[in-house]
């Protein structure tokens, strides 16, 4: 069963409450998404660590229910 973009956003927001999140369904199949996540929680973290934080928020659904997620992460602009 594919994962809904709103569910992805909800899970990320639970882990990163201040996040600015944009999610795009790349193939229209609910399995291939691109997400931009900006959060002050990423301050001082490497890009890899930022991505790990987002993947952690998805609680093991990557590679299973959610097949692909192209991530762009960073700090919000003031």
């Amino acid at each position: 069963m594919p994962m809904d973009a709103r569910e992805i956003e909800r899970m990320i927001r639970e882990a990163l409450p201040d996040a600015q999140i944009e999610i795009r369904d790349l193939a229209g199949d609910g399995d291939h998404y691109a997400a931009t996540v900006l959060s002050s929680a990423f301050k001082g973290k490497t890009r890899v660590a930022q991505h790990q934080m987002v993947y952690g928020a998805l609680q093991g659904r990557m590679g299973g229910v959610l097949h692909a997620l192209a991530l762009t992460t960073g700090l919000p602009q003031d």
Side-chain angles (χ1 to χ4, degrees):
M1 181 169 163
M3 194 166 182
D4 184 78
R6 290 174 300 220
E7 179 69 5
I8 296 168
E9 182 174 352
R10 182 191 65 74
M11 294 179 81
I12 294 170
R13 191 161 313 284
E14 282 182 6
L16 303 164
D18 77 324
Q20 298 171 24
I21 304 166
E22 178 187 340
I23 298 177
R24 297 169 307 284
D25 188 338
L26 298 175
D29 61 2
D31 282 334
H32 300 82
Y33 289 99
T36 300
V37 181
L38 305 177
S39 173
S40 60
F42 295 150
K43 186 172 183 169
K45 305 267 193 285
T46 66
R47 188 80 54 198
V48 170
Q50 293 173 17
H51 287 207
Q52 288 172 335
M53 289 171 71
V54 174
Y55 291 139
L58 297 173
Q59 303 170 4
R61 287 175 174 81
M62 275 304 303
V65 175
L66 180 58
H67 180 71
L69 179 66
L71 267 179
T72 301
T73 58
L75 294 170
Q77 299 296 316
D78 291 331

